[in-house]
Amino acid sequence: MDFTTIYTTVSTRLAVERRCSLCGEPMGYWVAFLGGPRAAEVMRYADPPGHPECMTAALSLCPHLALGRHRRARADRLGAGIVPPGSHGDKPDRYLLGVTRAYRTRFIPEHRFTVYLPAPFTTVHTYVYGPDGRLRPATDTG
């Protein structure tokens, strides 16, 4: 499976059925969204939701997320899904994991792509890249 691009049909079906985008199992009361600061600011995500536990695990298991210098695979390689419209390839300096109860999906026909719109987050965890280039929970220093 290729986790560097998004398979719109599969991810949309999972989200509509309220199933985790990572493990495929039904999601319970809480769901999580993972993205950069801009996605959290506008509350609009290209990546579908998942269990909070699965999204937290992805932070250390997915090389693209876990390693600051790791880049997405090329979208033109055989079997690749869709790179999100408007994606510029630059990695944010931090990721936010927001937890909420509800979300909506919106299909954008001109891009043949779905975006995910979470309800306001009840909890947000911030992760930053440390001096070793690995993602870790942010700590308040002031």
Side-chain angles (χ1 to χ4, degrees):
M1 179 160 264
D2 177 6
F3 291 104
T4 61
T5 55
I6 298 172
Y7 293 87
T8 300
T9 303
V10 174
S11 62
T12 302
R13 179 181 49 78
L14 288 169
V16 168
E17 294 175 359
R18 201 172 167 87
R19 292 182 170 274
C20 178
S21 62
L22 297 176
C23 75
E25 293 298 316
M27 291 189 283
Y29 190 82
W30 298 112
V31 299
F33 286 84
L34 183 60
R38 182 69 180 147
E41 179 184 335
V42 299
M43 296 299 278
R44 184 175 173 134
Y45 288 79
D47 291 305
H51 293 114
E53 300 82 7
C54 289
M55 293 300 209
T56 301
L59 291 166
S60 61
L61 297 175
C62 171
H64 177 71
L65 296 173
L67 304 172
R69 297 184 59 85
H70 199 281
R71 298 289 173 231
R72 285 189 183 269
R74 291 185 4 218
D76 63 347
R77 73 173 201 212
L78 187 61
I82 296 173
V83 173
S87 178
H88 45 72
D90 293 336
K91 186 184 287 195
D93 65 346
R94 68 190 68 242
Y95 283 91
L96 289 88
L97 187 144
V99 179
T100 186
R101 167 70 180 113
Y103 61 89
R104 295 178 295 126
T105 60
R106 180 173 296 150
F107 184 69
I108 312 294
E110 60 269 22
H111 294 295
R112 300 185 45 79
F113 195 78
T114 301
V115 294
Y116 306 93
L117 310 166
F121 294 134
T122 58
T123 307
V124 176
H125 303 280
T126 302
Y127 298 84
V128 297
Y129 291 100
D132 62 356
R134 293 191 173 274
L135 200 61
R136 61 187 64 195
T139 57
D140 292 324
T141 57

